[in-house]
Amino acid sequence: MDGMRFLNAGEQGLVAEFGTSIDPEINRRVHSTGALIRAAGIPGIREVVPTYRSLLIYFDPLTISRRQLIENVRSLVAGAESGQASTFARVIEIPVAYGGEYGPDLEFVAGHTGLSPDEVVAIHTSVPYLVYMLGFTPGFPYLGGMSERIAAPRLEQPRTVIPGGSVGIAGTQTGIYPVASPGGWRIIGRTPVRLFDPGAADPFLFAAGDYLQFTAVSVADYGAIGEQVAAGRYQPVIRSAPDKGGDKH
Amino acid sequence: MISIVTAGLFTTVQDGGRWGFQAYGMPVAGAMDRYAYNIANILAGNPPGAACLEMTVTGDTIKFATDTYIAICGADMRPTLDGRPVDTWSAFPVAAGSTLACGYAVRGCRTYLAVSGGIDVPVVLGSRSTYTRAAVGGLEGRKLKIGDTLAIGRSDTADNRPLLLPDAYRPAGAGDEITLRVLPGPQDDHFTAAGLATLFASTYTVTDEADRMGYRLEGPKIEHGGKADIVSDALPQGAIQVPGHGMPIIMMADRQTTGGYTKIGTVIGPDLALLAQAKPGDTIRLSQCSDEEAVDAFGRERALYEAAAAWRASALGREQYPPRRFTLTVNGQNYSIEIREE
């Protein structure tokens, strides 16, 4: 458990920090430790929030002291590391209609990178992306692992409304807007799948620690999947992947 | 049922917050002034966590379709019931057809209206709180407007006598200048000693950019020792973010779940109620405190809820006894004595 630091985030907040950079291995430790803490059912813990590189643990200081909580987390981590730490990641397929009406900036990204639109799509769909964390808006994934070959700058003038499901590129990052919102990312496609449905029994399509695999679909397939989503019949394609995913930097 | 006759500046349905989904990027939301919200529910006889209306700066005019019992706590919006003034930090019955009018907050910023049985909007992800930026919870995920109607939950309480909260359970007289206690961290080591000293020695002014998401302050610049940006981590309620410009931003109920600016410290939970009542132009002082002091303050807040609930029970219980009358004979003279319990 080298490098784990405990920081103060108010009398009801404890940060367990695993590093200060964006790194798949640091992030893996964040999620595995978060899962351990949730599974342990420690009385007084209210919520555990994973991020790129740390966990924020909300707790009731009248039920468990900060010192006791730190001891509990330390012993959980020590116990897990001496034993087997087998976790498997989920890979969730995200069907995307690239270009045209759904991806108005695909041509720009192609022009900027010197690739054809088809090549941009081929690279974007070539590897699964690690969901480092969710934030910004409910269900918004911070993804890692996109090839720098398709990196593109943000819009100089952000759009006032980007439709929900839009898939974009900003610098070397890629992501999906779960709900309609303003934004400056280059939009290369759109998925008909709902990432966030507050009324559903399972309101979020994926969690931090999962992988997303974009797949290119035709406009006709986009429509067909959209109808399934609207009717509540859509079943996302989810497969398990070995721990060492394609999240190279 | 209640209906909105005239709408306040920014009135939303709020409860204790949408806990448990920050891992998915869902902000907690919930009442900004946790203390006034909790006391309003206690006075109204509601269970903890019942949904209330949170009114901001100017309140609403609200018509009641049925007989009910309500409590008003927080900022003084000079409320009237059918034209007659009623007290803030009090609870009283309202008859069907009555109208409650709340005006401009002459002191403080946010007022909570608890209705016996709670405001009954659909529960979304475990909470009725409104998070307007993603249109989640509350009434259609938005602030209330003229003509809106809200259902009221079934009430378990049969009490209908007026109650006025004693001073002992009211917040200490918050003036135009408030002091908030701060625990340093999690990134206090990104600041110079001079930067930390500035934070704790200066007065800051609340800017116009002060809402449910956060309060931007203006004052002496806080000096970073290194970079002002970090790889994003989680934002606790009360976190004091300091971007490169050196001005603090205190994160409140609707804050995003993660953020990429350094956080010099966290305003302790019990003191956030004071900030929730601050308006643009008000003055803020920040004082450093220890974890022990912060936990102690947190415990005191919880003890106050228990004491206020006990006071309510006994206040209602005592009034059930009619005045006792005695006849006393002193030196052959008969005196009639009536004893009332206050």
Side-chain angles (χ1 to χ4, degrees), chain A residues 5 7-13 15 17 20-22 38 46-56 58-63 66-67 133-140 142 179 196-200 203-204 206-208, chain B residues 16 18-28 34 124-125 131 133-136 183-187 189-190 230-237 255-259 263 266-270 291-292 294-295 298-299 302:
Chain A
R5 286 209 301 165
L7 308 171
N8 190 306
E11 83 284 356
Q12 301 162 72
V15 173
E17 187 183 78
T20 55
S21 58
I22 299 176
R38 286 196 195 91
R46 189 173 203 183
E47 186 168 357
V48 181
V49 187
T51 70
Y52 274 118
R53 58 191 185 81
S54 62
L55 292 166
L56 172 57
Y58 284 92
F59 67 101
D60 176 356
L62 303 181
T63 304
R66 179 175 302 271
R67 187 177 302 169
M133 66 173 192
L134 280 72
F136 176 56
T137 58
F140 183 93
Y142 286 87
V179 293
F196 169 52
D197 181 0
F204 298 95
F206 46 79
Chain B
R18 187 167 284 106
W19 290 87
F21 298 94
Q22 291 178 87
Y24 297 95
M26 175 61 78
V28 177
R34 180 172 73 194
V124 180
L125 303 179
Y131 175 59
R133 282 179 177 82
V136 169
L183 279 170
Q187 281 100 34
D189 58 354
H190 284 236
I230 53 169
V231 171
S232 292
D233 70 348
L235 278 177
Q237 187 152 3
R255 72 198 175 281
Q256 295 177 0
T257 54
T258 59
K263 297 171 286 294
T266 312
V267 175
I268 69 170
D291 198 48
E292 290 70 26
V295 172
F298 184 75
R302 197 164 289 180

Side-chain angles (χ1 to χ4, degrees), chain B residues 190-213:
Chain B
H190 284 236
F191 297 84
T192 62
L196 276 156
T198 303
L199 178 74
F200 293 125
S202 310
T203 56
Y204 288 89
T205 307
V206 177
T207 67
D208 290 340
E209 292 175 81
D211 60 16
R212 285 186 47 85
M213 196 170 185

Side-chain angles (χ1 to χ4, degrees), chain B residues 110-135:
Chain B
R110 293 182 168 86
T111 304
Y112 294 84
L113 171 68
V115 181
S116 177
I119 305 292
D120 190 15
V121 292
V123 174
V124 180
L125 303 179
S127 168
R128 293 184 169 86
S129 285
T130 314
Y131 175 59
T132 54
R133 282 179 177 82

Side-chain angles (χ1 to χ4, degrees), chain A residues 81-93:
Chain A
E81 285 183 348
S82 60
Q84 51 166 16
S86 82
T87 53
F88 77 93
R90 298 192 309 167
V91 180
I92 294 141
E93 286 193 9

